[in-house]
mmCIF file of all heavy atoms in Angstrom:
data_model
loop_
_atom_site.group_PDB
_atom_site.id
_atom_site.type_symbol
_atom_site.label_atom_id
_atom_site.label_comp_id
_atom_site.label_asym_id
_atom_site.label_seq_id
_atom_site.Cartn_x
_atom_site.Cartn_y
_atom_site.Cartn_z
ATOM 1 N N LEU X 1032 131.502 -98.014 94.209
ATOM 2 C CA LEU X 1032 131.138 -99.304 94.770
ATOM 3 C C LEU X 1032 130.237 -99.064 95.967
ATOM 4 O O LEU X 1032 130.598 -98.310 96.875
ATOM 5 C CB LEU X 1032 132.406 -100.061 95.181
ATOM 6 C CG LEU X 1032 132.252 -101.444 95.802
ATOM 7 C CD1 LEU X 1032 131.535 -102.383 94.835
ATOM 8 C CD2 LEU X 1032 133.629 -102.011 96.168
ATOM 9 N N SER X 1033 129.074 -99.683 95.942
ATOM 10 C CA SER X 1033 128.130 -99.529 97.032
ATOM 11 C C SER X 1033 127.860 -100.900 97.636
ATOM 12 O O SER X 1033 127.526 -101.838 96.906
ATOM 13 C CB SER X 1033 126.832 -98.894 96.520
ATOM 14 O OG SER X 1033 125.988 -98.559 97.575
ATOM 15 N N VAL X 1034 128.042 -101.037 98.954
ATOM 16 C CA VAL X 1034 127.831 -102.317 99.630
ATOM 17 C C VAL X 1034 127.027 -102.092 100.895
ATOM 18 O O VAL X 1034 126.957 -100.973 101.427
ATOM 19 C CB VAL X 1034 129.177 -103.002 99.989
ATOM 20 C CG1 VAL X 1034 129.993 -103.273 98.736
ATOM 21 C CG2 VAL X 1034 129.968 -102.171 100.981
ATOM 22 N N GLN X 1035 126.410 -103.166 101.383
ATOM 23 C CA GLN X 1035 125.715 -103.117 102.664
ATOM 24 C C GLN X 1035 126.717 -103.318 103.793
ATOM 25 O O GLN X 1035 127.696 -104.070 103.640
ATOM 26 C CB GLN X 1035 124.657 -104.215 102.731
ATOM 27 C CG GLN X 1035 123.405 -103.967 101.890
ATOM 28 C CD GLN X 1035 122.574 -102.789 102.373
ATOM 29 O OE1 GLN X 1035 122.046 -102.014 101.591
ATOM 30 N NE2 GLN X 1035 122.459 -102.658 103.692
ATOM 31 N N GLU X 1036 126.446 -102.664 104.886
ATOM 32 C CA GLU X 1036 127.297 -102.834 106.073
ATOM 33 C C GLU X 1036 127.433 -104.320 106.384
ATOM 34 O O GLU X 1036 126.453 -105.070 106.375
ATOM 35 C CB GLU X 1036 126.674 -102.101 107.263
ATOM 36 C CG GLU X 1036 127.497 -102.182 108.532
ATOM 37 C CD GLU X 1036 126.860 -101.384 109.662
ATOM 38 O OE1 GLU X 1036 125.824 -100.741 109.432
ATOM 39 O OE2 GLU X 1036 127.441 -101.394 110.777
ATOM 40 N N GLY X 1037 128.674 -104.754 106.628
ATOM 41 C CA GLY X 1037 128.935 -106.151 106.926
ATOM 42 C C GLY X 1037 129.381 -106.964 105.728
ATOM 43 O O GLY X 1037 129.977 -108.040 105.893
ATOM 44 N N ASP X 1038 129.070 -106.470 104.524
ATOM 45 C CA ASP X 1038 129.516 -107.171 103.318
ATOM 46 C C ASP X 1038 130.998 -106.888 103.064
ATOM 47 O O ASP X 1038 131.606 -106.033 103.712
ATOM 48 C CB ASP X 1038 128.706 -106.727 102.101
ATOM 49 C CG ASP X 1038 127.292 -107.269 102.124
ATOM 50 O OD1 ASP X 1038 126.999 -108.149 102.977
ATOM 51 O OD2 ASP X 1038 126.475 -106.822 101.297
ATOM 52 N N SER X 1039 131.550 -107.600 102.092
ATOM 53 C CA SER X 1039 132.934 -107.375 101.686
ATOM 54 C C SER X 1039 132.989 -106.461 100.472
ATOM 55 O O SER X 1039 132.034 -106.375 99.687
ATOM 56 C CB SER X 1039 133.612 -108.708 101.340
ATOM 57 O OG SER X 1039 133.716 -109.522 102.482
ATOM 58 N N ALA X 1040 134.112 -105.775 100.323
ATOM 59 C CA ALA X 1040 134.338 -104.903 99.161
ATOM 60 C C ALA X 1040 135.685 -105.257 98.544
ATOM 61 O O ALA X 1040 136.658 -105.507 99.271
ATOM 62 C CB ALA X 1040 134.324 -103.445 99.588
ATOM 63 N N VAL X 1041 135.726 -105.292 97.216
ATOM 64 C CA VAL X 1041 136.965 -105.596 96.508
ATOM 65 C C VAL X 1041 137.204 -104.531 95.439
ATOM 66 O O VAL X 1041 136.315 -104.215 94.655
ATOM 67 C CB VAL X 1041 136.913 -106.981 95.831
ATOM 68 C CG1 VAL X 1041 138.231 -107.252 95.100
ATOM 69 C CG2 VAL X 1041 136.633 -108.064 96.849
ATOM 70 N N ILE X 1042 138.396 -103.986 95.438
ATOM 71 C CA ILE X 1042 138.799 -102.983 94.443
ATOM 72 C C ILE X 1042 140.037 -103.525 93.737
ATOM 73 O O ILE X 1042 140.958 -104.028 94.392
ATOM 74 C CB ILE X 1042 139.115 -101.639 95.118
ATOM 75 C CG1 ILE X 1042 137.903 -101.139 95.903
ATOM 76 C CG2 ILE X 1042 139.528 -100.599 94.074
ATOM 77 C CD1 ILE X 1042 138.188 -99.941 96.793
ATOM 78 N N ARG X 1082 140.857 -106.144 109.068
ATOM 79 C CA ARG X 1082 139.799 -106.350 108.073
ATOM 80 C C ARG X 1082 140.242 -106.050 106.650
ATOM 81 O O ARG X 1082 139.467 -106.184 105.696
ATOM 82 C CB ARG X 1082 138.590 -105.468 108.411
ATOM 83 C CG ARG X 1082 137.925 -105.752 109.728
ATOM 84 C CD ARG X 1082 136.643 -104.938 109.909
ATOM 85 N NE ARG X 1082 136.906 -103.501 109.961
ATOM 86 C CZ ARG X 1082 136.589 -102.645 109.002
ATOM 87 N NH1 ARG X 1082 136.014 -103.052 107.884
ATOM 88 N NH2 ARG X 1082 136.853 -101.353 109.153
ATOM 89 N N ILE X 1083 141.472 -105.625 106.490
ATOM 90 C CA ILE X 1083 141.971 -105.205 105.180
ATOM 91 C C ILE X 1083 143.056 -106.157 104.709
ATOM 92 O O ILE X 1083 143.920 -106.559 105.495
ATOM 93 C CB ILE X 1083 142.526 -103.766 105.262
ATOM 94 C CG1 ILE X 1083 141.404 -102.793 105.599
ATOM 95 C CG2 ILE X 1083 143.198 -103.364 103.958
ATOM 96 C CD1 ILE X 1083 141.879 -101.383 105.849
ATOM 97 N N LEU X 1096 142.509 -104.810 96.598
ATOM 98 C CA LEU X 1096 142.245 -104.469 98.001
ATOM 99 C C LEU X 1096 140.962 -105.166 98.417
ATOM 100 O O LEU X 1096 139.950 -105.088 97.708
ATOM 101 C CB LEU X 1096 142.086 -102.955 98.159
ATOM 102 C CG LEU X 1096 141.715 -102.459 99.556
ATOM 103 C CD1 LEU X 1096 142.890 -102.627 100.509
ATOM 104 C CD2 LEU X 1096 141.272 -101.001 99.515
ATOM 105 N N HIS X 1097 141.013 -105.847 99.540
ATOM 106 C CA HIS X 1097 139.848 -106.543 100.060
ATOM 107 C C HIS X 1097 139.523 -105.982 101.442
ATOM 108 O O HIS X 1097 140.393 -105.961 102.322
ATOM 109 C CB HIS X 1097 140.129 -108.044 100.198
ATOM 110 C CG HIS X 1097 140.584 -108.685 98.928
ATOM 111 N ND1 HIS X 1097 139.782 -109.529 98.196
ATOM 112 C CD2 HIS X 1097 141.759 -108.607 98.252
ATOM 113 C CE1 HIS X 1097 140.455 -109.947 97.120
ATOM 114 N NE2 HIS X 1097 141.652 -109.403 97.139
ATOM 115 N N ILE X 1098 138.287 -105.531 101.615
ATOM 116 C CA ILE X 1098 137.832 -105.053 102.921
ATOM 117 C C ILE X 1098 136.688 -105.966 103.350
ATOM 118 O O ILE X 1098 135.679 -106.082 102.644
ATOM 119 C CB ILE X 1098 137.347 -103.593 102.873
ATOM 120 C CG1 ILE X 1098 138.432 -102.682 102.295
ATOM 121 C CG2 ILE X 1098 136.954 -103.120 104.283
ATOM 122 C CD1 ILE X 1098 137.970 -101.238 102.091
ATOM 123 N N THR X 1099 136.841 -106.616 104.482
ATOM 124 C CA THR X 1099 135.776 -107.493 104.988
ATOM 125 C C THR X 1099 135.001 -106.793 106.098
ATOM 126 O O THR X 1099 135.476 -105.815 106.688
ATOM 127 C CB THR X 1099 136.364 -108.803 105.546
ATOM 128 O OG1 THR X 1099 137.286 -108.474 106.603
ATOM 129 C CG2 THR X 1099 137.109 -109.577 104.459
ATOM 130 N N GLU X 1100 133.793 -107.282 106.340
ATOM 131 C CA GLU X 1100 132.936 -106.748 107.412
ATOM 132 C C GLU X 1100 132.898 -105.212 107.357
ATOM 133 O O GLU X 1100 133.182 -104.530 108.344
ATOM 134 C CB GLU X 1100 133.451 -107.222 108.776
ATOM 135 C CG GLU X 1100 133.454 -108.736 108.904
ATOM 136 C CD GLU X 1100 134.132 -109.186 110.203
ATOM 137 O OE1 GLU X 1100 134.269 -108.380 111.132
ATOM 138 O OE2 GLU X 1100 134.528 -110.362 110.254
ATOM 139 N N THR X 1101 132.525 -104.689 106.206
ATOM 140 C CA THR X 1101 132.567 -103.238 106.021
ATOM 141 C C THR X 1101 131.683 -102.509 107.033
ATOM 142 O O THR X 1101 130.636 -103.018 107.470
ATOM 143 C CB THR X 1101 132.130 -102.862 104.603
ATOM 144 O OG1 THR X 1101 130.852 -103.457 104.326
ATOM 145 C CG2 THR X 1101 133.145 -103.316 103.576
ATOM 146 N N GLN X 1102 132.126 -101.300 107.370
ATOM 147 C CA GLN X 1102 131.420 -100.442 108.329
ATOM 148 C C GLN X 1102 131.186 -99.080 107.677
ATOM 149 O O GLN X 1102 131.914 -98.702 106.762
ATOM 150 C CB GLN X 1102 132.274 -100.303 109.593
ATOM 151 C CG GLN X 1102 132.581 -101.628 110.263
ATOM 152 C CD GLN X 1102 133.681 -101.521 111.313
ATOM 153 O OE1 GLN X 1102 134.183 -100.447 111.614
ATOM 154 N NE2 GLN X 1102 134.052 -102.672 111.873
ATOM 155 N N PRO X 1103 130.196 -98.326 108.128
ATOM 156 C CA PRO X 1103 129.931 -97.011 107.526
ATOM 157 C C PRO X 1103 131.159 -96.106 107.491
ATOM 158 O O PRO X 1103 131.329 -95.338 106.531
ATOM 159 C CB PRO X 1103 128.828 -96.448 108.424
ATOM 160 C CG PRO X 1103 128.100 -97.650 108.926
ATOM 161 C CD PRO X 1103 129.170 -98.696 109.130
ATOM 162 N N GLU X 1104 132.029 -96.233 108.493
ATOM 163 C CA GLU X 1104 133.234 -95.377 108.502
ATOM 164 C C GLU X 1104 134.265 -95.791 107.463
ATOM 165 O O GLU X 1104 135.263 -95.088 107.266
ATOM 166 C CB GLU X 1104 133.875 -95.369 109.906
ATOM 167 C CG GLU X 1104 134.110 -96.730 110.489
ATOM 168 C CD GLU X 1104 132.972 -97.175 111.412
ATOM 169 O OE1 GLU X 1104 131.797 -96.888 111.091
ATOM 170 O OE2 GLU X 1104 133.277 -97.819 112.431
ATOM 171 N N ASP X 1105 134.022 -96.889 106.763
ATOM 172 C CA ASP X 1105 134.899 -97.259 105.641
ATOM 173 C C ASP X 1105 134.550 -96.463 104.387
ATOM 174 O O ASP X 1105 135.301 -96.486 103.407
ATOM 175 C CB ASP X 1105 134.764 -98.762 105.325
ATOM 176 C CG ASP X 1105 135.310 -99.644 106.427
ATOM 177 O OD1 ASP X 1105 136.255 -99.221 107.133
ATOM 178 O OD2 ASP X 1105 134.784 -100.768 106.603
ATOM 179 N N SER X 1106 133.421 -95.768 104.399
ATOM 180 C CA SER X 1106 133.014 -94.962 103.242
ATOM 181 C C SER X 1106 134.042 -93.862 103.002
ATOM 182 O O SER X 1106 134.349 -93.072 103.895
ATOM 183 C CB SER X 1106 131.626 -94.344 103.484
ATOM 184 O OG SER X 1106 130.638 -95.342 103.575
ATOM 185 N N TYR X 1109 139.097 -94.571 97.699
ATOM 186 C CA TYR X 1109 140.298 -95.390 97.834
ATOM 187 C C TYR X 1109 141.122 -95.307 96.547
ATOM 188 O O TYR X 1109 140.577 -95.384 95.444
ATOM 189 C CB TYR X 1109 139.924 -96.847 98.117
ATOM 190 C CG TYR X 1109 139.316 -97.009 99.495
ATOM 191 C CD1 TYR X 1109 137.966 -96.720 99.722
ATOM 192 C CD2 TYR X 1109 140.088 -97.431 100.576
ATOM 193 C CE1 TYR X 1109 137.408 -96.846 100.979
ATOM 194 C CE2 TYR X 1109 139.540 -97.562 101.839
ATOM 195 C CZ TYR X 1109 138.201 -97.264 102.027
ATOM 196 O OH TYR X 1109 137.654 -97.387 103.287
ATOM 197 N N LEU X 1128 133.814 -95.634 97.653
ATOM 198 C CA LEU X 1128 133.125 -96.705 98.358
ATOM 199 C C LEU X 1128 132.054 -96.117 99.263
ATOM 200 O O LEU X 1128 132.333 -95.237 100.076
ATOM 201 C CB LEU X 1128 134.119 -97.525 99.186
ATOM 202 C CG LEU X 1128 133.513 -98.604 100.085
ATOM 203 C CD1 LEU X 1128 132.821 -99.678 99.253
ATOM 204 C CD2 LEU X 1128 134.587 -99.231 100.985
ATOM 205 N N ASN X 1129 130.843 -96.634 99.114
ATOM 206 C CA ASN X 1129 129.730 -96.218 99.965
ATOM 207 C C ASN X 1129 129.229 -97.441 100.716
ATOM 208 O O ASN X 1129 128.793 -98.421 100.104
ATOM 209 C CB ASN X 1129 128.610 -95.615 99.116
ATOM 210 C CG ASN X 1129 127.425 -95.193 99.966
ATOM 211 O OD1 ASN X 1129 127.583 -94.743 101.093
ATOM 212 N ND2 ASN X 1129 126.223 -95.330 99.424
ATOM 213 N N VAL X 1130 129.307 -97.406 102.035
ATOM 214 C CA VAL X 1130 128.823 -98.504 102.856
ATOM 215 C C VAL X 1130 127.497 -98.080 103.480
ATOM 216 O O VAL X 1130 127.442 -97.146 104.290
ATOM 217 C CB VAL X 1130 129.831 -98.874 103.962
ATOM 218 C CG1 VAL X 1130 129.291 -100.029 104.805
ATOM 219 C CG2 VAL X 1130 131.175 -99.232 103.354
ATOM 220 N N LYS X 1131 126.455 -98.767 103.080
ATOM 221 C CA LYS X 1131 125.106 -98.411 103.542
ATOM 222 C C LYS X 1131 124.787 -99.108 104.846
ATOM 223 O O LYS X 1131 124.945 -100.325 104.955
ATOM 224 C CB LYS X 1131 124.090 -98.786 102.471
ATOM 225 C CG LYS X 1131 124.249 -97.997 101.178
ATOM 226 C CD LYS X 1131 123.255 -98.432 100.115
ATOM 227 C CE LYS X 1131 123.654 -99.750 99.510
ATOM 228 N NZ LYS X 1131 122.766 -100.139 98.374
ATOM 229 N N PRO X 1132 124.331 -98.336 105.849
ATOM 230 C CA PRO X 1132 124.017 -98.946 107.150
ATOM 231 C C PRO X 1132 122.765 -99.816 107.092
ATOM 232 O O PRO X 1132 121.928 -99.677 106.199
ATOM 233 C CB PRO X 1132 123.806 -97.755 108.087
ATOM 234 C CG PRO X 1132 123.826 -96.562 107.243
ATOM 235 C CD PRO X 1132 124.174 -96.900 105.839
#
Side-chain angles (χ1 to χ4, degrees):
Chain X
L1032 180 60
S1033 189
V1034 300
Q1035 286 294 140
E1036 182 177 357
D1038 288 350
S1039 295
V1041 180
I1042 302 170
R1082 298 186 296 109
I1083 296 174
L1096 176 71
H1097 304 253
I1098 305 174
T1099 59
E1100 300 173 19
T1101 53
Q1102 301 167 4
E1104 51 265 38
D1105 292 330
S1106 295
Y1109 291 81
L1128 174 64
N1129 179 35
V1130 180
K1131 295 178 285 185

